[in-house]
Every structure is written in C-alpha cells, then in structure tokens.
Amino acid sequence: MGDQQKIHPVLQMEANKTKTTTPAPGKTDLLPVQRPIPPPVMPSKNRNMCCKIFCWVLSLLVIAMIALGIAVAVVYFVFHPKLPRYEVNSLRVTNLGINLDLSLSAEFRVEITARNPNKKIGIYYEKGGHIGVWYDKTKLCEGPIPRFYQGHRNVTKLNVALTGRAQYGNTVLAALQQQQQTGRVPLDLKVDAPVAVKLGNLKMKKIRILGNCKLVVDSLSTNNNINIKATDCSFKAKL
C-alpha cells in the first residue's frame, strides 16, 4: 500500500504533461512566418545621369534667357530703337482697264517718304520688299521696294511702279467707278519690307517691317493728279 501511494502522483503528472502537449485531433499549431526583407533599391546610374543632364540643360536655358534679356535691355537703353516711318506723298494711275480675258489691268505709281528717326541705328533695305495697292479684298497691283541703305535720321523718297492683274475685272471696275462717283475711293497700301538693322559697325539679323496705309482718294482717273483726302498708316516689326 505504501509503494502505490508514492508512484501514483508521478504517473498523474506524466499524464497531465502528455495531455497538455498533445494537440487536439484536427488542429495544428501555426508558426509565425518570417517574410524576407527586400534588399534596398539602389538608384540607377543612367537615371542619375539623365537627371544631371536635364538640370544642366535647364540651367543653360535660364542663363541664356537672362543674358538675352540683359542684351535687349542694353540695346534699348543705349540705342533707343524706333520703327521707321512712312508717308504716302502721291498716287498716280497710268492704266486701269479691262483685258480680253476680262481681268482688270492696273498700273500705278506711288511716291513714299521713308524716315529713319534713329540717332545711332542704320537700316538696310534688303531684297524682296514690295508695296501693294488693294481695293477691298482685291489686290490691284504690286511693285518692288529698291534695295538701299538708310543712315541715321535719314529721309529718303521712293518712287515705285506698281503693276498687276485682278480677276473678275468687270465687277471690280464697276465697284471702283461707283465709289468714284462719291468722290471717296478707299484703298489699302500695304508695305512688306525685309530690313537689317545696323548697330554701330554690327549688322544684325533681318526683320520685316509690315505696314498698312488706309487711303481715301477722290478718283482713279488715268494720267491725272489724284487728291489723297485721308491717310491712316500703322507699322509693326516682325522677326
């Protein structure tokens, strides 16, 4: 009896130990899963190079724009550039009639005064300039502006011969004759002059002087003096 009482507690402890460590049927112990740590992403050498090139190009553009702005400001304050001015002195019609193909033939002569108001800037009138006379949306005639150099504060008179043909001659001539009866014929004289500016001894890049003079004349009689009743001219420079 005494020996059995000493062994019984040991067996009971082993049974309890076995019960606690044995998992229940149909259940399994879940162990924590350790995810691998991804290696750090190193920046690509090509990407770094592209960023450096972009920043370098952007910096050059900013510097170039600043330099251009400074140059323009210096030119403006030193030379005080002004656009040339033009005046229409006279207009003469040498021919205005209907051709066999029913087109309108027009030959004009126009005298224009060109003024260079600049003290330190010369103007080269280059090849390709022209003057045209328009009625409404129809170009009647056109002629070339001669090549010449206009010095500082120079005044030059240009006598330009204009010739041309317009379609639907009967319709255009009838409209001109009707306007002539009122004593007020509206015409547009358009100027397109490519010029190069001379700053001191430096000849700059070409620009274009575009002008439009709205004229009102009393008639378009051939070989007679034509009275210019009104003139409204505007000009602009185009790069």
Side-chain angles (χ1 to χ4, degrees), residues 206-220:
K206 288 183 183 180
I207 61 174
R208 292 171 63 193
I209 303 296
L210 303 178
N212 185 16
C213 289
K214 295 185 177 298
L215 309 177
V216 178
V217 300
D218 60 346
S219 71
L220 292 177

PDB file of all heavy atoms in Angstrom, residues 206-220:
ATOM      1  N   LYS A 206      17.987  89.951 -89.917  1.00  0.00           N
ATOM      2  CA  LYS A 206      16.891  90.571 -90.653  1.00  0.00           C
ATOM      3  C   LYS A 206      15.588  90.522 -89.858  1.00  0.00           C
ATOM      4  O   LYS A 206      15.298  89.565 -89.150  1.00  0.00           O
ATOM      5  CB  LYS A 206      16.660  89.869 -91.993  1.00  0.00           C
ATOM      6  CG  LYS A 206      17.725  90.117 -93.034  1.00  0.00           C
ATOM      7  CD  LYS A 206      17.329  89.427 -94.334  1.00  0.00           C
ATOM      8  CE  LYS A 206      18.405  89.594 -95.391  1.00  0.00           C
ATOM      9  NZ  LYS A 206      18.031  88.925 -96.660  1.00  0.00           N
ATOM     10  N   ILE A 207      14.803  91.582 -90.008  1.00  0.00           N
ATOM     11  CA  ILE A 207      13.431  91.611 -89.529  1.00  0.00           C
ATOM     12  C   ILE A 207      12.560  92.141 -90.665  1.00  0.00           C
ATOM     13  O   ILE A 207      13.078  92.576 -91.706  1.00  0.00           O
ATOM     14  CB  ILE A 207      13.273  92.490 -88.274  1.00  0.00           C
ATOM     15  CG1 ILE A 207      13.659  93.940 -88.590  1.00  0.00           C
ATOM     16  CG2 ILE A 207      14.087  91.951 -87.120  1.00  0.00           C
ATOM     17  CD1 ILE A 207      13.391  94.893 -87.440  1.00  0.00           C
ATOM     18  N   ARG A 208      11.272  92.069 -90.490  1.00  0.00           N
ATOM     19  CA  ARG A 208      10.348  92.561 -91.522  1.00  0.00           C
ATOM     20  C   ARG A 208       9.541  93.727 -90.963  1.00  0.00           C
ATOM     21  O   ARG A 208       9.007  93.648 -89.857  1.00  0.00           O
ATOM     22  CB  ARG A 208       9.405  91.443 -91.976  1.00  0.00           C
ATOM     23  CG  ARG A 208      10.105  90.331 -92.728  1.00  0.00           C
ATOM     24  CD  ARG A 208       9.161  89.170 -92.962  1.00  0.00           C
ATOM     25  NE  ARG A 208       8.027  89.544 -93.793  1.00  0.00           N
ATOM     26  CZ  ARG A 208       6.933  88.802 -93.938  1.00  0.00           C
ATOM     27  NH1 ARG A 208       6.828  87.661 -93.289  1.00  0.00           N
ATOM     28  NH2 ARG A 208       5.958  89.210 -94.720  1.00  0.00           N
ATOM     29  N   ILE A 209       9.468  94.788 -91.739  1.00  0.00           N
ATOM     30  CA  ILE A 209       8.614  95.923 -91.413  1.00  0.00           C
ATOM     31  C   ILE A 209       7.319  95.751 -92.197  1.00  0.00           C
ATOM     32  O   ILE A 209       7.321  95.757 -93.434  1.00  0.00           O
ATOM     33  CB  ILE A 209       9.280  97.263 -91.755  1.00  0.00           C
ATOM     34  CG1 ILE A 209      10.630  97.403 -91.039  1.00  0.00           C
ATOM     35  CG2 ILE A 209       8.362  98.422 -91.396  1.00  0.00           C
ATOM     36  CD1 ILE A 209      10.531  97.439 -89.546  1.00  0.00           C
ATOM     37  N   LEU A 210       6.222  95.573 -91.485  1.00  0.00           N
ATOM     38  CA  LEU A 210       4.912  95.403 -92.106  1.00  0.00           C
ATOM     39  C   LEU A 210       4.089  96.652 -91.838  1.00  0.00           C
ATOM     40  O   LEU A 210       3.965  97.105 -90.693  1.00  0.00           O
ATOM     41  CB  LEU A 210       4.204  94.170 -91.541  1.00  0.00           C
ATOM     42  CG  LEU A 210       4.941  92.839 -91.670  1.00  0.00           C
ATOM     43  CD1 LEU A 210       4.138  91.726 -91.018  1.00  0.00           C
ATOM     44  CD2 LEU A 210       5.212  92.511 -93.131  1.00  0.00           C
ATOM     45  N   GLY A 211       3.535  97.199 -92.921  1.00  0.00           N
ATOM     46  CA  GLY A 211       2.747  98.415 -92.773  1.00  0.00           C
ATOM     47  C   GLY A 211       1.475  98.376 -93.584  1.00  0.00           C
ATOM     48  O   GLY A 211       1.367  97.650 -94.581  1.00  0.00           O
ATOM     49  N   ASN A 212       0.511  99.155 -93.151  1.00  0.00           N
ATOM     50  CA  ASN A 212      -0.764  99.259 -93.849  1.00  0.00           C
ATOM     51  C   ASN A 212      -1.230 100.706 -93.772  1.00  0.00           C
ATOM     52  O   ASN A 212      -1.415 101.235 -92.666  1.00  0.00           O
ATOM     53  CB  ASN A 212      -1.802  98.314 -93.244  1.00  0.00           C
ATOM     54  CG  ASN A 212      -3.103  98.306 -94.032  1.00  0.00           C
ATOM     55  OD1 ASN A 212      -3.148  98.759 -95.174  1.00  0.00           O
ATOM     56  ND2 ASN A 212      -4.160  97.804 -93.427  1.00  0.00           N
ATOM     57  N   CYS A 213      -1.388 101.329 -94.929  1.00  0.00           N
ATOM     58  CA  CYS A 213      -1.880 102.702 -95.003  1.00  0.00           C
ATOM     59  C   CYS A 213      -3.265 102.680 -95.642  1.00  0.00           C
ATOM     60  O   CYS A 213      -3.424 102.254 -96.792  1.00  0.00           O
ATOM     61  CB  CYS A 213      -0.943 103.584 -95.831  1.00  0.00           C
ATOM     62  SG  CYS A 213       0.636 103.939 -95.037  1.00  0.00           S
ATOM     63  N   LYS A 214      -4.234 103.138 -94.894  1.00  0.00           N
ATOM     64  CA  LYS A 214      -5.588 103.253 -95.425  1.00  0.00           C
ATOM     65  C   LYS A 214      -5.731 104.634 -96.056  1.00  0.00           C
ATOM     66  O   LYS A 214      -5.655 105.651 -95.368  1.00  0.00           O
ATOM     67  CB  LYS A 214      -6.616 103.041 -94.311  1.00  0.00           C
ATOM     68  CG  LYS A 214      -6.577 101.633 -93.734  1.00  0.00           C
ATOM     69  CD  LYS A 214      -7.682 101.422 -92.717  1.00  0.00           C
ATOM     70  CE  LYS A 214      -7.684  99.999 -92.194  1.00  0.00           C
ATOM     71  NZ  LYS A 214      -7.933  98.998 -93.255  1.00  0.00           N
ATOM     72  N   LEU A 215      -5.957 104.636 -97.373  1.00  0.00           N
ATOM     73  CA  LEU A 215      -6.051 105.878 -98.135  1.00  0.00           C
ATOM     74  C   LEU A 215      -7.485 106.100 -98.592  1.00  0.00           C
ATOM     75  O   LEU A 215      -8.234 105.154 -98.834  1.00  0.00           O
ATOM     76  CB  LEU A 215      -5.141 105.838 -99.365  1.00  0.00           C
ATOM     77  CG  LEU A 215      -3.673 105.443 -99.156  1.00  0.00           C
ATOM     78  CD1 LEU A 215      -2.948 105.392-100.491  1.00  0.00           C
ATOM     79  CD2 LEU A 215      -2.992 106.424 -98.214  1.00  0.00           C
ATOM     80  N   VAL A 216      -7.826 107.361 -98.727  1.00  0.00           N
ATOM     81  CA  VAL A 216      -9.083 107.768 -99.376  1.00  0.00           C
ATOM     82  C   VAL A 216      -8.708 108.781-100.440  1.00  0.00           C
ATOM     83  O   VAL A 216      -8.182 109.858-100.129  1.00  0.00           O
ATOM     84  CB  VAL A 216     -10.080 108.364 -98.369  1.00  0.00           C
ATOM     85  CG1 VAL A 216     -11.348 108.818 -99.093  1.00  0.00           C
ATOM     86  CG2 VAL A 216     -10.439 107.349 -97.284  1.00  0.00           C
ATOM     87  N   VAL A 217      -8.950 108.436-101.712  1.00  0.00           N
ATOM     88  CA  VAL A 217      -8.632 109.323-102.833  1.00  0.00           C
ATOM     89  C   VAL A 217      -9.918 109.768-103.500  1.00  0.00           C
ATOM     90  O   VAL A 217     -10.978 109.133-103.366  1.00  0.00           O
ATOM     91  CB  VAL A 217      -7.711 108.610-103.850  1.00  0.00           C
ATOM     92  CG1 VAL A 217      -6.402 108.203-103.178  1.00  0.00           C
ATOM     93  CG2 VAL A 217      -8.392 107.386-104.445  1.00  0.00           C
ATOM     94  N   ASP A 218      -9.809 110.869-104.253  1.00  0.00           N
ATOM     95  CA  ASP A 218     -11.024 111.422-104.860  1.00  0.00           C
ATOM     96  C   ASP A 218     -11.417 110.702-106.145  1.00  0.00           C
ATOM     97  O   ASP A 218     -12.596 110.659-106.509  1.00  0.00           O
ATOM     98  CB  ASP A 218     -10.858 112.914-105.111  1.00  0.00           C
ATOM     99  CG  ASP A 218      -9.700 113.220-106.060  1.00  0.00           C
ATOM    100  OD1 ASP A 218      -8.869 112.309-106.311  1.00  0.00           O
ATOM    101  OD2 ASP A 218      -9.615 114.359-106.559  1.00  0.00           O
ATOM    102  N   SER A 219     -10.429 110.115-106.862  1.00  0.00           N
ATOM    103  CA  SER A 219     -10.750 109.427-108.113  1.00  0.00           C
ATOM    104  C   SER A 219      -9.596 108.504-108.498  1.00  0.00           C
ATOM    105  O   SER A 219      -8.529 108.523-107.867  1.00  0.00           O
ATOM    106  CB  SER A 219     -10.992 110.442-109.242  1.00  0.00           C
ATOM    107  OG  SER A 219      -9.777 111.069-109.622  1.00  0.00           O
ATOM    108  N   LEU A 220      -9.824 107.724-109.554  1.00  0.00           N
ATOM    109  CA  LEU A 220      -8.783 106.879-110.125  1.00  0.00           C
ATOM    110  C   LEU A 220      -8.654 107.154-111.624  1.00  0.00           C
ATOM    111  O   LEU A 220      -8.393 106.251-112.418  1.00  0.00           O
ATOM    112  CB  LEU A 220      -9.109 105.396-109.882  1.00  0.00           C
ATOM    113  CG  LEU A 220      -9.054 104.924-108.426  1.00  0.00           C
ATOM    114  CD1 LEU A 220      -9.466 103.461-108.333  1.00  0.00           C
ATOM    115  CD2 LEU A 220      -7.665 105.114-107.834  1.00  0.00           C
TER     116      LEU A 220
END
